[in-house]
Amino acid sequence: MSSPANSSLPANSLGGASRRVLVWKKLSARQRADALARPWQERRPAVAAGVRRIVAAVRRDGDAALRRLTRKFDGVALKSLRVRESEFVAAENALPSKDKAALRAAFRNI
């Protein structure tokens, strides 16, 4: 299986960054396989192993793991994991319109 970077998948340029826009229903079997390939995992087994440990910790310890991992990776001790409506609004307002359009297109293509 070839990597998506070397495949025949269609590419688009959105917001100054090159992104692939995939309409799953329109892809051939080969293009679907290429889209799902994760070749970096094959080249970076240590990264994949680290991700597996993080996912296992969250499944096992739930919110406690999220708090511990946030403190470890982000250096922040969260008081709450709850995101307020105002924080969602602020995050959406901070997102460029081209990125919002890309997210809406991705959602429609699920």
Side-chain angles (χ1 to χ4, degrees):
M1 184 177 340
S2 66
S3 73
N6 297 325
S7 72
S8 60
L9 293 175
N12 262 357
S13 178
L14 298 172
S18 178
R19 297 186 184 116
R20 283 184 175 37
V21 176
L22 305 176
V23 179
W24 193 254
K25 296 176 276 190
K26 294 181 180 181
L27 297 178
S28 69
R30 175 60 182 245
Q31 288 174 318
R32 288 179 179 188
D34 285 347
L36 295 173
R38 300 292 187 256
W40 65 270
Q41 291 175 339
E42 295 168 14
R43 295 189 303 265
R44 304 294 299 258
V47 172
V51 170
R52 283 192 296 276
R53 283 191 300 274
I54 289 169
V55 170
V58 172
R59 285 182 177 154
R60 183 185 62 243
D61 302 329
D63 289 356
L66 293 175
R67 284 187 167 89
R68 184 175 63 251
L69 293 165
T70 300
R71 196 169 37 255
K72 176 181 178 180
F73 293 117
D74 299 323
V76 176
L78 296 176
K79 294 178 184 176
S80 172
L81 296 175
R82 187 172 305 261
V83 179
R84 295 184 309 269
E85 181 66 26
S86 61
E87 292 172 300
F88 279 112
V89 170
E92 182 179 2
N93 290 339
L95 195 62
S97 59
K98 289 182 180 183
D99 290 341
K100 290 180 199 176
L103 287 169
R104 281 192 286 279
F107 180 77
R108 284 192 307 272
N109 290 326
I110 295 174

